[in-house]
Amino acid sequence: MGFVTPRTMARDYDVIVVGSGAGGGQAAYTLALEGVKVLMLEAGRHYDHRTETPMFQASHDAPLRGAGTPDKPFGFYDATVDGGWQVPGEPYTQASTDPARRFDWWRARMLGGRTNHWGRIALRNGPYDFKPHSRDGLGFDWPIGYDDLAPYYDKVEMLIGVYGSNEGLENTPDSPAGCLLPAPAARVGERLIAQRAGKLGIPVVPIHRAVLTAKLDDARIPALLHPGNPRAQALVAQAMRDRAACFWATPCSRGCSIGATYQSPAVHLPPALASGKLDILCDAMVYEVTTAGGKASGVRFVDRTTGKHIEAKARAVVLAASACESVRILLNSKSAAHPEGLANSSGKLGRYVMDTVGSDLMGQVPLLEALPPHNEDGAGGSHLYAPWWLYGSQGAGWQTKGLGFPRGYHIELSTGRRMPGPSTGAGLEWLTQGSYGARFKQDVRRTYGSFVYFAGRGEMIPNDHSFCEIDPAAKDRYGIPVLRFHWQWAEHETRQAAHMQKTFADIVAAMGGRVHESPEPDGAKAIAPGGSIIHEVGGAIMGADARSSVTNGWCQTWDVPNLFLTDGAPFVSNADKNPTLTIMALAWRAADHIVERFRRKEL
């Protein structure tokens, strides 16, 4: 068992897991450590974080000094070695030519998927987030609640390593003792933001991020994760010892050769492979789930290295290819028994695709100019953030409470003397009136580190106008029909984006600073395009009724009992919390359910 080829993979497996990111990695980890024989199929190439991460290179060492290109939108050193909003030979289409109705779809074609690129922000959904319809009458309730998922949040945090603190804030769940690692000290700019925002009634507290600020406790944690399973405990303990604590060397978006940040290839896959129960096949583009006797029998995929079409068989199938990719596979899995796609008797497959509401603003703060050299080390991202603070103005009767929109957002912060990049010193005319020569150099040194950036990340409510379907004409280079996207922000989201802009400007003013551009009062202009935040979820929502949902609360499809979805596709809502931690918690819970069903011989 290990990395295999189409010729060396076994003829039959217990479970096929499609995708190797947060949902696929977690599902495969749980299954393999419980003795289930798993084949993981990854559409992208093999990737080794230990040898491919540019740990110590400065931005000026990179092509174009790290500037983005269409093929590498986040720069050459970004960990997404293959992928982005556009993937050569793998198009998707738009149902509308209106730019406001466009949805841009990010894909990562590599082992570990988006877990290599993500911002590592690991926030728990709160109790309100699982029952939003009950709270304000909009969207849908999840068929599960916070208490159902809380034990799995605990496990995921202990396994992957999440730093942060417990603040006792509304709908911002605390973690039990022993789950979180120590939060790193706030930087000077972050401390100033916290002080001045606090005067506006906005709490700024340590953020939760999946970065090791200390070594994981390999003597204590494995027994909590896998009670009664000494083999799994030993494998997980060894994997934890193989990871080092962060020493603040590299932006996390590059990946991490020492395993200090969570990436599926660094955390989930090593112990699963060491169990001897996991095979991994890369460059396997799955396009169909096969069925027999009303159950999933396996999948068909294209070997990207040869172009051959191959079939793999298993007793159960787990799709975790990313929300929209899993939907695409199911919609393309048509048959006489499933003419509208597999697991689509409700007609809801592809419906209710959501992204995170985003808007940002930059300011410059004279108080942060010309600071003496000081320690600005950090964990490759924010140490503080502002969780949503206005729940009292929402809930039932939100229309009369003055805020004007029903769901909230959190604020991500960025400041400090970070590694210089391609834009360092550029675009300062609004501050310097166009200085040059020696004066320009002085201006760059004076203002370096005095900029503050605010990014809102808010909840989108599912709507009937945001969905994906199979394009009737377009196919990718493998001959697989592609997705066509429909998209529309509602006024709920655009008003939220306008509120973000005003809030950011108010914080900058409270810091004695000035904004680069005036805050945008028109939320339709302030809101980031659909897909640009790379948090898409939905498309196969879970529910309590097979007539209105695709899966049940265990991520198990209603129509095909041995077919599960463990990426973001089953999300019923898209809270202001980043979705990755919830994806992993749901995947662990679903995998436990699969193991139990196997034990009862029900799959």
Side-chain angles (χ1 to χ4, degrees):
M1 305 289 279
F3 287 92
V4 298
T5 69
R7 296 183 65 180
T8 61
M9 71 179 188
R11 293 188 61 182
D12 292 287
Y13 290 87
D14 293 324
V15 179
I16 292 172
V17 175
V18 180
S20 61
Q26 182 63 74
Y29 163 97
T30 305
L31 293 168
L33 290 180
E34 291 296 330
V36 177
K37 186 178 178 183
V38 179
L39 172 64
M40 173 180 282
L41 298 174
E42 165 55 47
R45 73 164 176 85
H46 184 274
Y47 162 78
D48 187 344
H49 65 283
R50 295 164 298 185
T51 60
E52 296 191 55
T53 299
M55 283 290 285
F56 301 106
Q57 290 90 324
S59 296
H60 63 72
D61 296 322
L64 304 179
R65 295 183 175 266
T69 68
D71 288 338
K72 295 284 290 184
F74 292 94
F76 182 79
Y77 283 158
D78 183 77
T80 304
V81 290
D82 288 307
W85 284 289
Q86 300 296 329
V87 177
E90 298 185 38
Y92 53 93
T93 64
Q94 307 290 338
S96 173
T97 58
D98 181 353
R101 305 291 297 274
R102 180 181 182 86
F103 180 87
D104 293 315
W105 184 23
W106 176 277
R107 292 158 293 172
R109 292 290 186 245
M110 60 190 297
L111 187 69
R114 301 184 202 183
T115 67
N116 302 302
H117 161 91
W118 74 306
R120 276 76 183 178
I121 296 174
L123 305 175
R124 296 182 177 212
N125 280 10
Y128 299 168
D129 302 320
F130 289 99
K131 304 297 178 184
H133 182 269
S134 294
R135 181 169 156 79
D136 61 24
L138 299 170
F140 313 104
D141 285 345
W142 295 59
I144 61 174
Y146 176 75
D147 290 343
D148 294 305
L149 213 54
Y152 291 96
Y153 280 135
D154 298 350
K155 287 185 175 185
V156 173
E157 287 175 349
M158 288 189 286
L159 173 67
I160 70 175
V162 175
Y163 72 66
S165 64
N166 290 325
E167 302 294 330
L169 298 174
E170 185 175 9
N171 200 44
T172 305
D174 291 340
S175 299
C179 285
L180 297 177
L181 298 171
R187 304 175 180 92
V188 170
E190 293 171 329
R191 293 169 187 261
L192 182 62
I193 292 172
Q195 180 196 72
R196 300 303 171 87
K199 294 180 179 180
L200 301 176
I202 302 171
V204 178
V205 300
I207 198 168
H208 292 198
R209 291 186 69 241
V211 179
L212 303 188
T213 53
K215 285 280 287 183
L216 291 171
D217 188 346
D218 62 277
R220 177 183 65 91
I221 292 175
L224 298 175
L225 301 182
H226 300 284
N229 188 339
R231 170 68 170 158
Q233 293 172 23
L235 294 174
V236 172
Q238 182 58 54
M240 288 181 171
R241 288 191 289 271
D242 290 341
R243 300 177 65 194
C246 180
F247 51 86
W248 325 130
T250 305
C252 297
S253 60
R254 296 184 180 185
C256 187
S257 64
I258 63 171
T261 70
Y262 165 70
Q263 298 170 256
S264 177
V267 177
H268 284 130
L269 302 187
L273 286 166
S275 74
K277 294 295 184 178
L278 174 65
D279 280 356
I280 300 176
L281 177 58
C282 293
D283 290 306
M285 189 77 179
V286 174
Y287 61 88
E288 182 183 357
V289 176
T290 58
T291 59
K295 292 185 177 182
S297 58
V299 300
R300 292 192 178 101
F301 63 92
V302 176
D303 179 353
R304 297 201 313 164
T305 63
T306 65
K308 292 182 178 179
H309 291 243
I310 300 168
E311 185 170 347
K313 293 185 177 296
R315 296 165 59 196
V317 173
V318 174
L319 295 184
S322 84
C324 293
E325 190 69 54
S326 290
V327 167
R328 179 191 180 202
I329 292 169
L330 291 176
L331 287 172
N332 278 325
S333 300
K334 293 183 178 182
S335 65
H338 305 282
E340 302 301 321
L342 191 60
N344 195 24
S345 64
S346 65
K348 300 300 182 182
L349 188 60
R351 314 300 297 190
Y352 309 124
V353 173
M354 296 163 274
D355 192 20
T356 290
V357 178
S359 191
D360 53 46
L361 194 71
M362 181 182 77
Q364 192 269 340
V365 180
L367 279 173
L368 298 175
E369 289 183 7
L371 293 178
H374 61 282
N375 189 348
E376 284 270 297
D377 282 349
S382 302
H383 293 178
L384 303 181
Y385 86 122
W388 181 238
W389 65 101
L390 293 174
Y391 287 110
S393 298
Q394 296 178 319
W398 64 270
Q399 300 93 332
T400 63
K401 295 183 179 180
L403 194 58
F405 55 94
R407 307 282 173 84
Y409 60 90
H410 74 255
I411 306 173
E412 298 175 10
L413 323 171
S414 179
T415 185
R417 301 167 69 88
R418 305 295 182 87
M419 182 185 293
S423 61
T424 301
L428 292 182
E429 292 82 1
W430 66 289
L431 297 172
T432 65
Q433 288 73 53
S435 61
Y436 62 94
R439 175 64 183 275
F440 172 71
K441 294 179 181 179
Q442 294 170 2
D443 286 337
V444 171
R445 293 189 181 100
R446 172 177 55 82
T447 60
Y448 181 55
S450 69
F451 297 95
V452 292
Y453 304 85
F454 298 94
R457 296 292 180 260
E459 178 164 358
M460 176 186 179
I461 300 171
N463 67 66
D464 290 328
H465 305 289
S466 297
F467 63 95
C468 60
E469 61 187 356
I470 296 298
D471 188 292
K475 296 182 179 181
D476 67 14
R477 65 181 180 182
Y478 309 108
I480 306 169
V482 307
L483 287 180
R484 177 170 64 186
F485 286 95
H486 300 250
W487 189 257
Q488 183 172 310
W489 293 113
E491 195 173 57
H492 301 315
E493 290 83 47
T494 57
R495 287 187 176 185
Q496 186 188 125
H499 190 273
M500 292 177 183
Q501 289 282 303
K502 182 180 184 303
T503 300
F504 303 158
D506 288 346
I507 297 174
V508 172
M511 297 174 72
R514 46 192 164 172
V515 296
H516 182 199
E517 297 179 350
S518 298
E520 176 54 67
D522 184 348
K525 296 178 180 177
I527 198 166
S532 62
I533 307 302
I534 320 178
H535 285 175
E536 82 274 1
V537 296
I541 66 170
M542 66 168 64
D545 188 339
R547 295 170 297 180
S548 58
S549 58
V550 178
T551 82
N552 62 20
W554 299 101
C555 302
Q556 178 184 27
T557 62
W558 292 106
D559 299 352
V560 186
N562 64 338
L563 174 61
F564 295 78
L565 307 179
T566 65
D567 48 29
F571 274 45
V572 180
S573 63
N574 194 19
D576 71 288
K577 287 80 171 178
N578 306 47
T580 307
L581 191 73
T582 299
I583 289 173
M584 285 190 272
L586 287 169
W588 199 323
R589 183 172 180 268
D592 274 356
H593 184 66
I594 293 171
V595 171
E596 181 59 28
R597 295 288 297 274
F598 273 146
R599 286 173 178 162
R600 299 201 306 254
K601 301 186 185 305
E602 295 175 353
L603 287 179

